[in-house]
Amino acid sequence: MKEENNGTPKNKWSRIFRKKWFFPAVYLTIAALLLSVVVWYQNLDNQIQETEDDQSSETYTPAEHDEDAQSVMDQQEVIKMPVVNQDQAEIVTKFYDYNAEQEEQENALVMFNNRFYQSTGIDIASADGETFDVLASLSGTVTEVREDPLLGNVVALSHENDVVTYYASLQGVNVKSGDKVQQGEVLGKAGENMFGQESGTHVHFEIRKDGNEVNPESFFNQPLSALDEAATEDEGTESEATEEESVESDGTEESTEDSGAGAEDASTQNSQNSNVEGGNTTDDTSDSSSSEDDA
């Protein structure tokens, strides 16, 4: 019985193997499995490639922006005080600001020839009263070098965005017109001049934006672009002030017209009154003349 039972499965498999459809079915199954593996592998490779491309693009984009931001920051110079040692520097004359307090305005007045003048810059002196090197506050081009009888030696530098730095009361000058100077380069030595005798040995420093003087103390250690923002704010303030002045002037013109009209009415009335009085006098005279003739 055991031998018959053991022989039965073998006979079944042999019968299956003998079927005509068995081997083609096996081949098709194996081919389908191989094709499935190939397709799955290709999809997996494409997914890996797309992931790598996404990662490379994500890392590349911020790097590009970082380089641009770094280049912009490199171009923006910070406005420096034109001295070597700021700790030893002392501002003896301030910039005259109309919005400042009275004490600061008094410190921004320069007396010359028994008259007071408003300072358009600042006077910087050393704490020990000795001369010192005057440095370029910003990189730029020398546009003016001259000797003034009142201000001493004068040097002017032009910069980007219509900015000009102005240095006066120099004892000696190390540059000439047309020179390209870098920030921190020595322009000359601080000295004395006739206009600012009370300041002693000093350098008179100004910053001009679009031809207008600004307070240098407000822009030290700030980028050059800060001057553009201040100029924009000043233009807005000036436009508002102009509008207010125009409104006030319109009101003044209207009141002037009203007063003029009233004056014309008054003069007309006075002339009419005088005519009436003159007519009455004529009548009276004619009456008196007729009375004399009758007599």
Side-chain angles (χ1 to χ4, degrees):
M1 293 298 292
K2 291 182 180 180
E3 291 179 357
E4 291 179 356
N5 292 334
N6 292 333
T8 301
K10 292 180 180 181
N11 293 330
K12 290 181 180 180
W13 281 107
S14 61
R15 291 175 183 175
I16 294 173
F17 289 156
R18 292 173 183 175
K19 297 291 182 180
K20 293 180 179 181
W21 53 263
F22 177 77
F23 288 103
V26 172
Y27 295 149
L28 290 175
T29 304
I30 295 173
L33 292 174
L34 290 176
L35 183 61
S36 299
V37 171
V38 171
V39 172
W40 174 80
Y41 181 78
Q42 288 180 349
N43 291 334
L44 180 62
D45 189 24
N46 292 333
Q47 290 177 358
I48 294 174
Q49 186 68 24
E50 291 177 357
T51 304
E52 291 178 354
D53 293 340
D54 294 339
Q55 291 179 352
S56 62
S57 62
E58 290 177 358
T59 55
Y60 175 75
T61 302
E64 181 180 2
H65 291 303
D66 290 342
E67 291 178 359
D68 293 340
Q70 185 67 27
S71 62
V72 171
M73 291 300 294
D74 293 339
Q75 294 176 359
Q76 286 289 329
E77 283 187 341
V78 175
I79 302 173
K80 296 293 185 181
M81 185 179 289
V83 295
V84 178
N85 190 353
Q86 297 185 12
D87 295 334
Q88 296 296 325
E90 181 181 358
I91 299 177
V92 293
T93 303
K94 291 185 173 292
F95 175 83
Y96 190 90
D97 188 355
Y98 290 94
N99 298 323
E101 296 181 357
Q102 182 177 359
E103 183 178 357
E104 294 183 356
Q105 291 181 348
E106 292 176 355
N107 293 333
L109 295 176
V110 179
M111 186 175 184
F112 175 73
N113 200 16
N114 295 326
R115 292 184 61 184
F116 286 101
Y117 296 87
Q118 298 172 356
S119 176
T120 55
I122 59 174
D123 291 345
I124 306 173
S126 178
D128 55 9
E130 300 294 331
T131 186
F132 53 90
D133 289 334
V134 178
L135 311 181
S137 178
L138 291 166
S139 300
T141 304
V142 180
T143 56
E144 181 182 12
V145 176
R146 63 184 175 88
E147 185 177 356
D148 190 277
L150 295 180
L151 302 176
N153 291 314
V154 177
V155 174
L157 301 182
S158 64
H159 314 278
E160 298 177 354
N161 302 333
D162 294 328
V163 176
V164 176
T165 52
Y166 182 86
Y167 312 78
S169 186
L170 297 179
Q171 183 178 356
V173 178
N174 298 344
V175 295
K176 62 183 182 299
S177 182
D179 287 349
K180 302 286 187 180
V181 297
Q182 297 297 322
Q183 185 180 45
E185 186 173 340
V186 178
L187 303 178
K189 290 279 189 180
E192 299 180 359
N193 61 11
M194 294 289 294
F195 187 75
Q197 288 183 350
E198 296 182 355
S199 298
T201 301
H202 70 284
V203 58
H204 179 76
F205 177 67
E206 295 183 8
I207 299 178
R208 300 174 182 177
K209 168 63 178 174
D210 297 329
N212 300 319
E213 295 87 0
V214 298
N215 188 356
E217 288 188 81
S218 301
F219 298 98
F220 284 145
N221 299 323
Q222 292 192 30
L224 192 62
S225 58
L227 291 171
D228 295 332
E229 298 175 359
T232 303
E233 293 177 358
D234 292 339
E235 289 177 358
T237 304
E238 289 177 358
S239 62
E240 292 177 358
T242 304
E243 291 177 356
E244 292 178 356
E245 290 177 358
S246 62
V247 171
E248 292 177 357
S249 62
D250 292 340
T252 304
E253 290 177 357
E254 291 177 357
S255 62
T256 304
E257 292 176 356
D258 294 339
S259 61
E264 291 179 357
D265 294 339
S267 61
T268 303
Q269 186 176 359
N270 290 333
S271 63
Q272 291 176 353
N273 292 334
S274 62
N275 291 331
V276 172
E277 291 175 357
N280 291 336
T281 305
T282 304
D283 294 339
D284 294 341
T285 305
S286 61
D287 293 341
S288 62
S289 299
S290 61
S291 300
E292 289 178 358
D293 293 336
D294 292 340

